[in-house]
């Protein structure tokens, strides 16, 4: 099942999107969906990395070397 949402685009972005859709015979919705799905993994990774850095800076998590990481797995 899919859900619908609304977004606001600048006039320039909207015009570019419409031109692309017209040239290719695809819908603007197709390209919006493609762009979001392609970029969402990156955005999630960035968010998780920022939260991890915050935990490290607050002393709630620690950084270990790869050598230490693998050594602890062998124990």
């Amino acid at each position: 099942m899919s859900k619908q949402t609304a977004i606001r685009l600048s006039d320039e972005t909207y015009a570019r999107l419409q031109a692309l859709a017209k040239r290719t015979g695809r819908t603007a919705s197709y390209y919006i969906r493609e762009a979001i799905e392609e970029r969402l993994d990156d955005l999630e990774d960035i968010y998780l990395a920022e939260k991890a850095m915050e935990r490290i800076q607050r002393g709630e998590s620690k950084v270990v070397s790869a050598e230490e990481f693998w050594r602890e797995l062998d124990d």
Side-chain angles (χ1 to χ4, degrees):
M1 178 180 255
S2 61
K3 301 291 183 191
Q4 186 173 352
T5 191
I7 61 168
R8 293 191 185 276
L9 300 172
S10 69
D11 290 342
E12 179 186 352
T13 299
Y14 181 80
R16 290 175 61 199
L17 183 60
Q18 293 302 316
L20 176 63
K22 185 177 181 179
R23 284 192 313 266
T24 62
R26 294 198 181 259
T27 65
S29 295
Y30 169 84
Y31 288 111
I32 293 168
R33 187 173 39 258
E34 286 292 305
I36 291 171
E37 289 174 357
E38 183 175 313
R39 186 78 165 99
L40 191 55
D41 283 342
D42 293 337
L43 293 171
E44 290 169 333
D45 289 345
I46 290 166
Y47 173 79
L48 292 173
E50 287 172 348
K51 292 300 173 189
M53 285 300 299
E54 289 172 7
R55 287 192 307 275
I56 291 167
Q57 289 170 346
R58 289 192 305 263
E60 298 169 359
S61 295
K62 69 175 189 168
V63 177
V64 296
S65 67
E67 180 180 301
E68 184 180 354
F69 173 81
W70 291 110
R71 187 174 50 245
E72 289 180 13
L73 285 180
D74 288 337
D75 291 343

